[in-house]
Amino acid sequence: MAGGLPISSPLGTIYSTNITSSKRYGIGNYTLKQFAQALRQGVRADGAHLYPAMPYASYSLLVDDDVKALHTYFTQAVAPVDRPSTTKTDLPFPYNMRFSMMAWNALFAGGKPYTPDPAKSAEWNRGKYLVEGAAHCAECHTPRGFFMQQDRSKAFGGAVLGSWYAPNISSDPVAGIGAMSADELFQYLKAGKVKGKAQAGGEMGLAVEMSFSKLTDRDLRAIVSYIRDLPPIADASLTKPKFAQGQPYTEVSKFRGVGDVSSDNALAGGPAQLFAANCASCHGVRAEGSLDGYFPSLFHNSALTTGGGRNLVATILFGLSRKGADGLAFMPGFGGKATDIAAFSDDEVAELANYLLRHYGDASIAVTPQLVAEVRAGRAPKPALATLVDIGKWAFPVFLILFVLWRRARRSRAKARIASVAA
Ligand code: HEC
Ligand code: HEC
């Protein structure tokens, strides 16, 4: 809880802060009222506004008893870490004006503590309370509108998240997770994987490891019951369910006996060799995975059918490391950071990804080296609002200069006229 975790936003990187019980650097001095205000309204004890990267819009649903319990936990049970966060959020103008969040909050935040829907079961209500509140699933899985607010008309329809893509988890059987059974969804949240369908990497791996794997089975069942009841968000571009695309395939006989296959010379043989040299040892020659499912098959795998290939690219670059309820899942990254495994260039990653998509995933998805560079840098596409603000930022000073010049020209012309009249 000592802070410093980078959270990428399309406007820049926002760093989490120290929320240990440290009285100097954390929130050890926060009264219950101040704590509740930060949690539900996004306002710090010193009155400054938090960025919505802290999901206070979701936490506004938390009921008083839970806020009180959290306050007790944070101020009494979380050990103090007496140092400031080493990193500080420094967004560029105009996003550094925190008070602008007041307008955003007035429009898009400020929900009320949850009140159960009497027409629904207690389990469903518990699920909704957790999903929309504490677990804030929608903050990642719902696409954003013009003002970067959640676009609730596409609730849980999938959204880009820095390097990763949080897929459509609505009940649509083709684009969403309608084809996952209740048990499978339960297992995904508890352990981070469903054999032959999906595994949790990136932000979701973190969420499973740090949070969802710690929930009681009862709460997980409640979440599953609510999620499976979400209205379907369809995607016309998908023709086949995302967990049913691709099939076993190999070209290895083509280059068997032709020469060594190693990560160093793999590209000479094209993407099929790149796969054989770097991936097949774990995922299988025909990408069928291992029998026990520890190494997933790459066909029938949502990473190869959603989000324009973003999670496929992110997995190749960064790998995956997640401690779930069933132990450690680990894959090395090939992006040239963290391990000494051969680093792939953007072109190599794109070529490999397209080969995999063609044979094992959604063949209509095409990955460009530009996308790979974007994922490598953790950049999400810029929202329209940011583009507008960028234009405005440049246009305003240019306008000001032109205005001053015009005024000067007018004044000197007027002076000249007065001079000529006087003469
Ligand atoms: C911090 C962001 C974040 C939060 C919070 C989050 N998710 Fe995810 N979720 C992701 C990302 C990113 C992926 C893709 C992971 C991958 O494929 O490796 C994902 C994947 C999934 C998948 C698999 C879908 C598929 O097609 O493969 C399910 C199901 C899911 N999330 C459910 C949930 C539920 C339910 C919650 C709340 C209890 C939740 N998520 C909260 C980011 C998030
Ligand atoms: C050392 C073994 C190993 C190697 C080598 C390896 N992987 Fe993996 N891979 C794994 C494991 C383990 C998982 C995760 C299983 C889990 O999440 O439970 C995984 C997961 C994946 C996923 C799913 C990620 C997601 O978020 O849904 C993809 C896609 C993938 N690997 C592609 C590749 C490609 C492409 C290569 C070669 C460049 C490769 N892997 C090399 C072990 C490996």
Side-chain angles (χ1 to χ4, degrees):
M1 304 291 177
L5 185 81
I7 298 166
S8 84
S9 94
L11 310 180
T13 303
I14 295 170
Y15 293 93
S16 64
T17 51
N18 186 332
I19 53 165
T20 68
S21 60
S22 166
K23 290 201 187 307
R24 175 125 191 245
Y25 299 109
I27 57 170
N29 278 332
Y30 270 53
T31 62
L32 173 61
K33 203 168 154 226
Q34 289 169 328
F35 180 78
Q37 186 169 291
L39 204 61
R40 293 196 288 208
Q41 271 97 46
V43 178
R44 287 193 318 220
D46 66 0
H49 282 265
L50 297 169
Y51 290 116
M54 148 79 180
Y56 57 84
S58 294
Y59 296 161
S60 63
L61 254 67
L62 292 177
V63 296
D64 292 349
D65 278 353
D66 282 344
V67 173
K68 209 164 149 196
L70 282 167
H71 178 253
T72 306
Y73 174 70
F74 274 98
T75 50
Q76 291 176 25
V78 174
V81 176
D82 285 313
R83 60 170 170 76
S85 313
T86 44
T87 35
K88 233 180 137 208
T89 302
D90 190 13
L91 293 189
F93 175 82
Y95 311 116
N96 55 355
M97 300 188 300
R98 285 178 179 268
F99 63 82
S100 59
M101 290 301 123
M102 273 159 79
W104 193 89
N105 292 347
L107 288 169
F108 307 118
K112 297 260 169 320
Y114 187 68
T115 44
D117 177 349
K120 300 279 189 181
S121 71
E123 187 183 52
W124 187 95
N125 273 301
R126 176 74 181 159
K128 179 168 185 189
Y129 176 61
L130 291 171
V131 165
E132 305 284 358
H136 63 280
C137 317
E139 299 274 355
C140 294
H141 284 276
T142 297
R144 304 261 161 187
F146 184 77
F147 290 107
M148 300 192 55
Q149 82 286 17
Q150 285 184 27
D151 179 355
R152 294 302 292 197
S153 70
K154 302 196 190 90
F156 300 93
V160 173
L161 208 71
S163 295
W164 295 82
Y165 182 79
N168 183 333
I169 56 165
S170 75
S171 61
D172 190 84
V174 176
I177 52 162
M180 265 194 193
S181 70
D183 283 343
E184 284 177 331
L185 193 53
F186 174 83
Q187 193 200 337
Y188 185 88
L189 295 172
K190 195 174 172 86
K193 82 154 55 149
V194 175
K195 194 177 163 186
K197 285 203 168 97
Q199 36 304 292
E203 318 285 317
M204 190 65 190
L206 216 59
V208 168
E209 175 174 338
M210 309 288 240
S211 302
F212 306 152
S213 62
K214 313 260 196 284
L215 292 180
T216 61
D217 285 1
R218 215 170 137 180
D219 277 345
L220 283 177
R221 291 273 172 217
I223 289 178
V224 168
S225 134
Y226 175 71
I227 289 282
R228 279 166 50 84
D229 196 35
L230 290 171
I233 305 288
D235 178 350
S237 71
L238 286 177
T239 48
K240 240 180 163 186
K242 62 181 172 183
F243 306 122
Q245 306 219 30
Q247 62 216 2
Y249 172 84
T250 182
E251 289 177 35
V252 85
S253 55
K254 271 197 212 155
F255 48 82
R256 192 162 267 161
V258 172
D260 292 344
V261 174
S262 77
S263 47
D264 300 329
N265 70 356
L267 198 59
Q273 232 172 349
L274 209 54
F275 176 75
N278 296 285
C279 323
S281 55
C282 290
H283 290 285
V285 169
R286 303 183 317 140
E288 72 279 22
S290 60
L291 264 186
D292 64 357
Y294 179 81
F295 298 116
S297 68
L298 298 187
F299 47 85
H300 300 181
N301 192 324
S302 80
L304 282 81
T305 58
T306 44
R310 212 176 177 89
N311 288 344
L312 172 61
V313 170
T315 308
I316 296 174
L317 289 174
F318 309 124
L320 187 152
S321 177
R322 180 195 69 241
K323 271 194 234 104
D326 60 351
L328 177 73
F330 177 79
M331 168 178 152
F334 294 82
K337 273 200 191 137
T339 63
D340 49 7
I341 277 182
F344 292 177
S345 68
D346 292 351
D347 285 338
E348 285 172 315
V349 174
E351 208 179 333
L352 175 61
N354 286 325
Y355 172 81
L356 299 174
L357 289 164
R358 212 156 48 236
H359 297 293
Y360 305 121
D362 183 344
S364 69
I365 299 174
V367 166
T368 59
Q370 287 72 28
L371 173 70
V372 180
E374 195 182 295
V375 171
R376 205 190 275 273
R379 275 197 312 268
K382 242 187 194 177
L385 171 67
T387 310
L388 204 71
V389 165
D390 280 352
I391 295 171
K393 230 163 42 185
W394 293 110
F396 185 67
V398 169
F399 173 78
L400 208 69
I401 291 167
L402 286 178
F403 180 72
V404 169
L405 289 177
W406 173 75
R407 278 272 300 262
R408 259 217 211 131
R410 227 174 66 141
R411 213 177 296 145
S412 60
R413 227 181 300 137
K415 254 193 218 147
R417 215 178 303 127
I418 291 166
S420 73
V421 167

